[in-house]
Amino acid sequence: MTLPRPPQTALRPLDDALAELLGHAHPLADHEAVSTFHADGRVLAQDQVSALQVPPQDNSSMDGYALRCADLTGPNPMLPVSQRIAAGASGTPLTAGTAARIFTGAPVPEGADAIVMQEDCELLPAEGDAPPAIRLRKLPVPGQWIRRAGEDVTRGAVVLTRGARLTPASLGLAASIGLDRLQVARRPRVALFSTGDELVMPGEVAPEQMKPGSIYNSNRFFLRALLHRLGCDVSDLGIVPDRRDATLAALQSAAQDHDLILTSGGVSVGEEDHIKPAVQALGRLDLWQIAIKPGKPFAYGRVQDAHFIGLPGNPVSSFVTFLLLVRPFLLKLQGAQDLAPKTIALPAHFTWPRADKRREFLRVRRNAAGGLDLFENQSSGVLTSAVWGDGLVDNPPSQTIAPGDLVRFVPLSELLA
Ligand code: AMP
Ligand code: MG
């Protein structure tokens, strides 16, 4: 007798799955104004145009003397010092045939066309009625040590664009054009829960009291931290037991007031995997087998108005699928333009002789010689690999790797920001 074969779902290429997932991520309509102090990591909702030029006027980039080059004659000319201009002062037009004492950041007086560093002159103190003077050791060239008005930002320039993720430097630039508040996308509201009867919370049961079969819930910790880094408001709903009624109740309450319900575990097709039937009962669900390793099972669906994403339970699978799929999804919800991490071609300093048929994301680390070392255990349960590594090698399906081969390195710093 031949048994009927279970239906074979074809594995989906990652790029297809990502494109479909991003097709569901419509940027959130509402924005909010936040203090520039608190806008790091948020996504800008409007172009920011400068109402002024930066620097506002020509200013000195050295402590020294402002002068007019045409006033200088002979190899070691002397000029009397006629005024003193500190940063924050405005100064007066330069008297012909004199120099002005000037400090870094102070406006260059009208009529001056160069700054001479104080190290390049000798100061001759005042004597009787004669004011102090300087003797130049070196002749200046016109324009030297002057920062020009508008050389950083011109009036009317778009300084930061809509969809940009704000960095510490962009906060400084926004401040330099006078912006104390910035219009940003509101934070996505994410409900997070872990599934699995084997899961125990650190702090609730001591290591020596752990029952056989129990493990600590590690996914909850890194998923929550990753969500925070992406600017989300997280409602952590804890651990949901492997029961249909509990899963339904958790999903129903999570669908209220959240943009996304994110779960880990329970998306395989074992009979203890309750996520799939529960989401199907409340809304709709697509269960994808994505052709990547680690991280094959992945679910996208809707529960009422909320998006639903189910990540695999194996910690490394959960971590990697979050970075590859959930991260760009959450950035797109916030209207971010730049969703793909920048990768670098680097030489492998390892061998990968038995490549998988799926596209693999190997945990590796840059070494001092500029190459990549491989973590020895690439199992999807070994979270140590993600701590040891500082990036992933994005390896095409069935591609073996020999030492010296150039591979595609995705720095974790690109994915964790
Ligand atoms: P599942 O996807 O529920 O079949 O889980 C796959 C594997 O991941 C099992 O070995 C689980 O015990 C483990 N796992 C699931 N959830 C977590 C979690 N939150 N923390 C650590 N391991 C987990
Ligand atoms: Mg499970």
Side-chain angles (χ1 to χ4, degrees):
M1 191 181 89
T2 49
L3 288 170
R5 284 216 199 147
Q8 289 285 311
T9 21
L11 294 187
R12 298 194 59 175
L14 175 64
D15 292 341
D16 279 13
L18 180 60
E20 183 172 339
L21 184 68
L22 292 179
H24 293 297
H26 302 296
L28 301 170
D30 26 348
H31 307 149
E32 58 182 340
V34 296
S35 157
T36 303
F37 277 125
H38 300 138
D40 186 28
R42 305 294 294 273
V43 178
L44 208 52
Q46 288 170 348
D47 286 352
Q48 302 298 327
V49 176
S50 181
L52 81 175
Q53 57 179 358
V54 182
Q57 60 271 117
D58 288 359
N59 68 88
S60 176
S61 62
M62 286 290 166
D63 290 337
Y65 296 87
L67 49 75
R68 182 174 13 230
C69 294
D71 289 345
L72 306 173
T73 47
N76 292 108
M78 260 177 64
L79 291 173
V81 179
S82 56
Q83 63 173 313
R84 185 176 190 278
I85 314 169
S90 52
T92 56
L94 185 71
T95 309
T98 72
R101 177 75 170 122
I102 197 163
F103 298 90
T104 305
V108 176
E110 202 186 308
D113 61 4
I115 309 294
V116 176
M117 283 164 70
Q118 61 190 31
E119 292 83 346
D120 289 339
C121 11
E122 185 188 343
L123 180 63
L124 311 168
E127 238 187 69
D129 283 349
I134 50 167
R135 180 181 291 130
L136 304 193
R137 298 196 179 104
K138 218 160 102 182
L139 285 178
V141 283
Q144 77 174 30
W145 306 125
I146 294 177
R147 300 193 284 223
R148 292 295 174 194
E151 75 176 23
D152 188 356
V153 177
T154 53
R155 193 190 311 267
V158 177
V159 166
L160 296 165
T161 49
R162 177 172 172 222
R165 252 184 114 197
L166 294 163
T167 62
S170 34
L171 303 187
L173 191 58
S176 80
I177 60 166
L179 302 174
D180 67 328
R181 297 182 80 70
L182 293 168
Q183 198 68 28
V184 297
R186 83 162 159 80
R187 295 180 182 280
R189 291 189 281 265
V190 182
L192 173 67
F193 63 84
S194 327
T195 72
D197 284 348
E198 70 279 31
L199 301 178
V200 166
M201 281 301 289
E204 286 177 4
V205 181
E208 58 280 11
Q209 252 102 57
M210 287 286 274
K211 291 213 252 355
S214 293
I215 56 165
Y216 286 120
N217 183 351
S218 43
N219 299 1
R220 182 177 179 183
F221 288 80
F222 65 72
L223 290 174
R224 194 160 132 156
L226 289 168
L227 289 167
H228 281 139
R229 285 195 177 201
L230 287 165
C232 300
D233 263 339
V234 183
S235 308
D236 186 342
L237 305 179
I239 299 167
V240 174
D242 286 327
R243 285 199 326 264
R244 181 178 157 83
D245 56 344
T247 309
L248 283 169
L251 287 169
Q252 250 162 341
S253 96
Q256 314 303 315
D257 306 321
H258 291 104
D259 302 301
L260 169 67
I261 304 169
L262 182 68
T263 66
S264 85
V267 286
S268 305
V269 284
E271 62 249 35
E272 291 301 336
D273 292 316
H274 296 280
I275 289 285
K276 182 183 170 208
V279 177
Q280 277 165 337
L282 296 172
R284 60 176 193 79
L285 182 88
D286 296 322
L287 189 61
W288 299 341
Q289 300 294 321
I290 303 180
I292 54 170
K293 194 178 173 190
K296 191 165 65 168
F298 182 91
Y300 173 79
R302 302 277 306 186
V303 180
Q304 293 154 25
D305 289 335
H307 298 280
F308 169 85
I309 292 179
L311 298 175
N314 275 312
V316 185
S317 308
S318 214
F319 184 71
V320 169
T321 46
F322 183 99
L323 297 178
L324 299 177
L325 293 149
V326 183
R327 176 183 178 275
F329 182 88
L330 286 168
L331 289 176
K332 187 164 177 218
L333 277 191
Q334 295 173 76
Q337 294 295 331
D338 211 359
L339 304 179
K342 292 183 192 72
T343 62
I344 319 168
L346 285 179
H349 285 183
F350 62 85
T351 309
W352 189 244
R354 281 174 299 278
D356 198 87
K357 286 204 279 292
R358 290 177 273 164
R359 181 169 164 185
E360 287 179 284
F361 289 88
L362 308 171
R363 274 75 68 214
V364 296
R365 178 154 102 180
R366 270 174 289 200
N367 60 34
L372 298 171
D373 295 329
L374 182 73
F375 190 74
E376 57 182 8
N377 187 339
Q378 293 285 325
S379 154
S380 62
V382 175
L383 200 50
T384 310
S385 67
V387 175
W388 182 91
D390 65 359
L392 303 170
V393 164
D394 178 357
N395 195 43
S398 306
Q399 177 78 60
T400 57
I401 301 173
D405 288 353
L406 280 183
V407 294
R408 194 165 167 205
F409 176 69
V410 195
L412 274 187
S413 56
E414 278 283 314
L415 295 166
L416 297 178

